Amino acid sequence: MRQNRLITAGLALLLMFTGVSAVSAGNISFSGYVRNYTGILVDSDPLDYSQVQNTFDIKADYSGDMGDLHTEGFVYLDADNNLTAGIRELYADIYFNSLDLRIGKQQIIWGKGDGVFITDVVSPKDMSNFILPDFDEIRIGVTAAKADWYVGDFTLEGVWIPVFTPSVLPDSHSIWAVSMDFPAGMTPSIKSAGLPDPTFKNSEGFAKLSYMGSSFDVELIGGYMWDDTPVPHVTKFVPGMPPDVTVTPEYHRLSMAGGSFSTEILGVIFRGEGAYYDGNYFSIDPDNLQTDLIAGGDGTLQKNYLHYMAGMDYSVFGINLSAQFVQQVILDYDSRLKNDEYESTATFLAAKTFLNETLKVQFFGYYGINNGDALLRPSVSYSIADGLDVTAGSDIFMGDSGIFGQYNNNDMVYIKIKYSF
Amino acid sequence: MKKIHSAILMLVLLAAAAGTAGAETLSGLQIMEKVYARPKGPDIQSELTMTLINSRGSKRVRTIRQFIKDYGADEKKIMFFVAPADVKNTSFMTWSYGNSSKADDMWIYLPALKKVKRISSESKSDYFMGSDFTYDDMGNRLPKDDTHKIIGEEKINGEDCYVVESTPKNPDYFYSRTVSWIVKGEWIGMKKEFYDEDGELLKTLTINSYKKVNGYWVITSMEMDNVQKNHKTIMELKDVKIGRGIRDSFFTERMMKRGIK
């Protein structure tokens, strides 16, 4: 299976290069980077590597009179010589007077939030390494047709994704694996999640109306989609027998509507983003699971919820500061749910450059208000020469529970060396 | 208020149209208004190269394609970063409002994030792309924001110049004063000194070359020396085109994302 994937990726890369070499070299530009990323788990004894990864990323762009072709391929090679290769994006742009079409595999990014996903739900995510990779590596390209119609300062965007692509979850043996909690004595048998059939009926559609003009920017969005992560439905294996259960992860339809804005007031950028999600499935808390199963439930409840963010960016003494408050609210809340009714997170960023922008010191942090957990990400980057950067940093997880606290043993220090061309 | 403008605009504004009658009787303010009011053309496009040279003599080069359109008192500008590779395809757009107290609108497009972000326009003292030019140095500061005084006359490169000292009316401005050498009759700024908040010389701007493009003066090479940091930036303009007719739709999010090929 993995070999087939590698062969497919290799063929795609080969096609990419042979394809672009067939057209006039004068209209083609190449860019990309080579990077080594080595991380050490500081809580391990003896010290273990969290990551030893070599990356080659290449983008090729061909420009024509009516449009452009773009492709980006990547290769990851780890210390055990395991090779992963693929195509991050591969699409064609066609330009008309007031209409642009983009067709092919592409990353589609919406919203005004930084480091959070509220209305940014078109492209699924690769969570193999939690949220630590760069965001263009976290986002997974989707094969889609996107149309942008421009009228003055307004843009109407429509996206059709014919075949659903799910998010990638951490491998069960990974340090980032998320364990499913079950009551003591209950033995789960976990099935693999089945994808929706690739039919027209199962396709996804999104629309966005945006305004970018003097004083403020606004986006209004809506989507009829699939939840990118499967929801575990629990059923008793054999009724009346010992409490063994079957867990069947399923993908569900989801509708959403929302918007975002940004504006500047007295030198401060204010940003906001929010969405209403209709009919999401939430898991029952493990303490209530047995009761729910006995009552005929399947360990889930369908609820609507709100997800929103308010943030601000400010610069003082050359230090760029940014703070965000993010909250999820489950409507018509049921106390049997695993999630809290209100789940709040705050983010904070401070960054400053020195030595004519060759040295950058940055701190980015997430704080989970409900569980008192946190992820702190200090880093220092130095540009050795144009295009050649070295970054040293650490990712520190704090707390015992919550989305960050669950990784309390995964504190790491790392160094990245990246050459861009 | 206009705050961030490109080097070409700065240079064009520093350059001045002819107008010699009665020049000897001009005040410092009138001289600086002549520099400011010089016609700069309906639109300008060029390739801007900045060579940053540190105290050890090592160089770093930044290249930008920039497009500016004049809307009377207002102005729109879009810049596409070409080099170095790690900032390639980043774009930066400014809408400036000259005759009002309204702050500039500014956006940046970062290709790694694939989205356009509105950013604060309150960073006038920040240095542009690690160069020795602040955003404010690259703008056309309004003459009325300073008090101007003629402090002498000198020859530079064979040109007769007024020497004008400008002191900011706002005491919190990050330069305590500047001194400009303005060519008589042509109203071109040939040299400028910037003094820090302690009154010490911080930077010296020197014009290396200038020429007329489509009837408008454009300075094509200049150098900013930071004497306190022993660091300098040489800024050069190439492929300058004036009055080619840039469409209004060029200054939009659409073009920021699409970039210049």
Side-chain angles (χ1 to χ4, degrees):
Chain A
M1 178 70 182
R2 185 170 159 273
Q3 197 169 19
N4 288 341
R5 208 170 67 229
L6 282 175
I7 291 169
T8 305
L11 280 173
L13 278 174
L14 186 65
L15 280 171
M16 183 177 85
F17 287 112
T18 54
V20 294
S21 66
V23 292
S24 166
N27 291 333
I28 300 175
S29 64
F30 293 95
S31 59
Y33 64 84
V34 178
R35 183 189 64 197
N36 174 267
Y37 173 19
T38 301
I40 294 174
L41 290 167
V42 296
D43 293 330
S44 58
D45 186 18
L47 290 176
D48 197 6
Y49 293 106
S50 63
Q51 187 87 261
V52 179
Q53 183 189 71
N54 302 291
T55 307
F56 177 57
D57 182 288
I58 186 166
K59 304 177 186 69
D61 289 277
Y62 167 76
S63 294
D65 294 335
M66 277 287 290
D68 303 324
L69 300 174
H70 170 83
T71 185
E72 178 178 357
F74 63 88
V75 177
Y76 293 113
L77 179 67
D78 69 15
D80 298 324
N81 281 325
N82 294 314
L83 189 73
T84 307
I87 300 294
R88 215 179 296 284
E89 291 189 302
L90 178 59
Y91 59 76
D93 280 324
I94 306 167
Y95 305 133
F96 301 94
N97 277 344
S98 56
L99 179 74
D100 292 343
L101 297 177
R102 175 169 291 179
I103 298 167
K105 185 172 183 178
Q106 55 191 293
Q107 294 182 355
I108 299 172
I109 315 301
W110 286 0
K112 306 291 186 192
D114 289 336
V116 294
F117 304 101
I118 296 173
T119 62
D120 184 13
V121 292
V122 183
S123 285
K125 285 85 189 167
D126 183 344
M127 303 298 286
S128 301
N129 293 295
F130 191 47
I131 54 172
L132 302 186
D134 294 339
F135 274 96
D136 56 343
E137 296 180 271
I138 287 180
R139 292 190 174 93
I140 299 171
V142 288
T143 298
K146 180 167 77 75
D148 287 274
W149 181 39
Y150 304 96
V151 181
D153 293 329
F154 289 88
T155 304
L156 179 61
E157 181 170 298
V159 178
W160 176 54
I161 301 176
V163 178
F164 167 64
T165 301
S167 287
V168 174
L169 300 177
D171 185 85
S172 58
H173 302 295
S174 159
I175 60 172
W176 307 110
V178 179
S179 60
M180 295 172 65
D181 296 328
F182 289 93
M186 186 180 281
T187 307
S189 168
I190 301 174
K191 292 184 174 180
S192 57
L195 288 171
D197 293 333
T199 61
F200 177 77
K201 186 183 172 188
N202 286 335
S203 61
E204 297 177 291
F206 299 86
K208 177 177 74 170
L209 176 65
S210 60
Y211 167 83
M212 194 182 93
S214 179
S215 302
F216 62 91
D217 310 326
V218 174
E219 292 179 351
L220 297 173
I221 64 170
Y224 182 59
M225 57 195 181
W226 291 91
D227 190 351
D228 289 337
T229 54
V231 178
H233 292 262
V234 183
T235 52
K236 284 204 170 190
F237 191 50
V238 180
M241 295 296 287
D244 292 336
V245 293
T246 300
V247 179
T248 309
E250 291 179 27
Y251 293 97
H252 292 283
R253 275 291 190 186
L254 197 55
S255 301
M256 64 90 76
S260 63
F261 77 93
S262 65
T263 188
E264 179 180 2
I265 300 173
L266 298 175
V268 180
I269 299 292
F270 291 91
R271 297 180 279 117
E273 182 174 349
Y276 170 79
Y277 288 84
D278 185 73
N280 190 65
Y281 284 84
F282 291 90
S283 292
I284 296 278
D285 188 90
D287 291 344
N288 302 316
L289 183 59
Q290 190 75 270
T291 311
D292 182 66
L293 293 179
I294 291 169
D298 68 351
T300 68
L301 286 175
Q302 196 174 19
K303 296 288 179 184
N304 306 327
Y305 75 98
L306 295 171
H307 199 188
Y308 50 83
M309 177 280 299
M312 56 189 289
D313 309 325
Y314 185 59
S315 180
V316 59
F317 302 123
I319 305 171
N320 292 321
L321 300 169
S322 178
Q324 299 179 128
F325 174 76
V326 186
Q327 189 168 66
Q328 176 181 289
V329 183
I330 299 174
L331 305 176
D332 187 25
Y333 185 71
D334 190 309
S335 59
R336 291 175 295 164
L337 290 176
K338 186 177 177 182
N339 291 65
D340 290 340
E341 182 176 7
Y342 295 89
E343 294 204 344
S344 307
T345 306
T347 73
F348 181 74
L349 167 73
K352 182 171 174 57
T353 60
F354 302 89
L355 304 174
N356 292 82
E357 293 189 7
T358 55
L359 180 67
K360 181 178 183 182
V361 179
Q362 176 171 297
F363 173 82
F364 186 73
Y366 293 89
Y367 176 64
I369 295 171
N370 288 50
N371 297 292
D373 58 336
L375 166 59
L376 309 180
R377 309 194 70 188
S379 66
V380 178
S381 302
Y382 180 67
S383 172
I384 299 168
D386 281 343
L388 179 60
D389 298 286
V390 58
T391 302
S394 64
D395 295 316
I396 302 163
F397 294 88
M398 303 177 76
D400 300 319
S401 61
I403 190 169
F404 310 112
Q406 66 182 327
Y407 299 127
N408 194 21
N409 295 323
N410 290 3
D411 294 352
M412 67 178 74
V413 294
Y414 65 84
I415 188 164
K416 292 180 186 176
I417 300 173
K418 182 177 180 181
Y419 177 70
S420 303
F421 58 90
Chain B
M1 189 176 121
K2 291 186 178 180
K3 210 158 38 179
I4 297 174
H5 295 262
S6 68
I8 186 171
L9 183 55
M10 172 191 176
L11 300 174
V12 169
L13 290 169
L14 281 170
T20 58
E24 292 78 8
T25 62
L26 293 173
S27 67
L29 176 61
Q30 286 171 316
I31 291 169
M32 299 312 285
E33 281 177 339
K34 279 183 176 291
V35 173
Y36 180 83
R38 180 208 171 274
K40 55 186 182 290
D43 58 63
I44 309 164
Q45 51 184 292
S46 66
E47 181 179 292
L48 168 66
T49 301
M50 292 192 299
T51 304
L52 285 55
I53 306 170
N54 68 12
S55 56
R56 298 188 307 276
S58 72
K59 296 180 180 177
R60 292 171 189 259
V61 178
R62 280 93 182 86
T63 308
I64 294 164
R65 289 288 306 173
Q66 58 180 2
F67 300 80
I68 305 162
K69 186 163 184 175
D70 185 44
Y71 290 85
D74 300 340
E75 178 194 88
K76 292 183 179 181
K77 180 182 72 173
I78 190 165
M79 306 170 87
F80 301 99
F81 294 35
V82 178
D86 53 353
V87 297
K88 187 179 178 185
N89 295 326
T90 298
S91 58
F92 182 80
M93 185 165 72
T94 307
W95 295 359
S96 303
Y97 309 97
N99 275 352
S100 74
S101 57
K102 185 183 180 325
D104 294 353
D105 290 304
M106 292 170 51
W107 299 268
I108 191 166
Y109 172 71
L110 299 168
L113 297 179
K114 289 187 167 59
K115 64 180 178 185
V116 173
K117 281 194 72 172
R118 179 179 285 267
I119 56 176
S120 171
S121 59
E122 286 295 309
S123 306
K124 294 155 71 169
S125 60
D126 288 356
Y127 285 92
F128 179 70
M129 289 188 82
S131 74
D132 294 288
F133 292 84
T134 64
Y135 285 93
D136 200 58
D137 294 341
M138 300 173 70
N140 54 342
R141 183 172 169 83
L142 293 170
K144 68 179 176 61
D145 290 341
D146 300 317
T147 302
H148 306 279
K149 184 172 71 176
I150 299 173
I151 59 172
E153 296 184 11
E154 285 182 18
K155 255 188 197 302
I156 291 188
N157 297 333
E159 303 278 3
D160 290 323
C161 296
Y162 288 111
V163 185
V164 180
E165 182 184 73
S166 304
T167 306
K169 293 176 181 173
N170 178 2
D172 295 329
Y173 190 57
F174 46 90
Y175 299 130
S176 59
R177 66 187 175 104
T178 59
V179 179
S180 304
W181 280 255
I182 310 296
V183 179
K184 290 182 180 178
E186 290 184 339
W187 313 118
I188 299 171
M190 289 296 289
K191 182 182 171 186
K192 189 170 184 178
E193 292 177 344
F194 302 80
Y195 292 82
D196 66 15
E197 290 163 326
D198 298 325
E200 300 291 329
L201 178 63
L202 175 64
K203 301 187 296 186
T204 301
L205 175 68
T206 309
I207 305 308
N208 296 325
S209 64
Y210 60 96
K211 65 179 182 180
K212 268 195 170 178
V213 177
N214 209 17
Y216 300 94
W217 282 113
V218 178
I219 296 175
T220 50
S221 176
M222 63 179 170
E223 181 176 319
M224 181 77 91
D225 286 85
N226 187 318
V227 297
Q228 294 185 5
K229 291 166 63 179
N230 199 15
H231 191 280
K232 67 181 177 183
T233 300
I234 298 171
M235 189 178 280
E236 294 172 299
L237 290 181
K238 298 172 186 166
D239 195 22
V240 181
K241 296 169 184 163
I242 298 180
R244 294 294 182 95
I246 305 173
R247 289 172 287 110
D248 292 343
S249 59
F250 202 80
F251 302 93
T252 57
E253 179 181 14
R254 181 189 194 186
M255 291 309 299
M256 291 185 76
K257 288 180 174 176
R258 185 190 296 183
I260 191 88
K261 307 296 181 186

